[in-house]
Amino acid sequence: MATQTTAEQRSLTFLQVSVALQTLAIFFQAVTAGVLLSSSHGEVLHSVGARVMYGASMLYVLAAILAWRPGGGTPRPILYASGFLVLASVQVVLGIAHVPSLHVPLGVLMFGLSVLALGQVLTAHLPERSGTRS
């Protein structure tokens, strides 16, 4: 039982780290968007940050799948992570198409949702199993 609890704790920690990385990457994108307006280096930073943010969204999906145990929990985090990946894909398309009227508000929405997801996974606890505590 201790091994299973340790594995569950590692999965939860991986999920927490992946959501934190995604949130930081989206925040970095907001900062580089401001730099983009005032510096010639902003475009390169924003472009690199977009790739990191997209990779972080894929990592979040992987972490959500690994944290889910078939028959042992809800697959809701997988749905949330997949939704973020879809939003990130739309965000990339809008950025490449240079549609700031949709790109910027979607980025703000993604940051807010990512902060909410981060708060949710940071406050998550392992479910207590009957018979493990006295």
Side-chain angles (χ1 to χ4, degrees):
M1 279 295 188
T3 305
Q4 187 175 10
T5 304
T6 303
E8 289 173 353
Q9 184 62 41
R10 284 187 194 140
S11 295
L12 182 62
T13 302
F14 183 43
L15 185 63
Q16 292 169 339
V17 168
S18 66
V19 176
L21 177 65
Q22 174 183 275
T23 305
L24 286 172
I26 294 172
F27 181 73
F28 179 78
Q29 284 302 92
V31 171
T32 60
V35 174
L36 179 68
L37 298 174
S38 63
S39 170
S40 61
H41 302 294
E43 186 176 354
V44 173
L45 288 173
H46 199 67
S47 178
V48 169
R51 288 169 175 81
V52 171
M53 184 273 304
Y54 197 76
S57 295
M58 287 190 279
L59 184 68
Y60 179 24
V61 172
L62 176 64
I65 291 170
L66 292 175
W68 175 67
R69 301 276 187 234
T74 178
R76 188 172 293 166
I78 299 171
L79 180 65
Y80 294 159
S82 299
F84 269 107
L85 188 58
V86 168
L87 289 176
S89 299
V90 171
Q91 186 71 337
V92 168
V93 169
L94 290 172
I96 290 171
H98 299 288
V99 184
S101 60
L102 296 175
H103 182 75
V104 173
L106 182 58
V108 172
L109 174 69
M110 287 177 64
F111 180 70
L113 291 173
S114 192
V115 168
L116 286 173
L118 181 61
Q120 191 176 31
V121 298
L122 288 179
T123 59
H125 299 287
L126 289 174
E128 290 189 30
R129 297 176 188 251
S130 59
T132 59
R133 300 218 178 198
S134 45

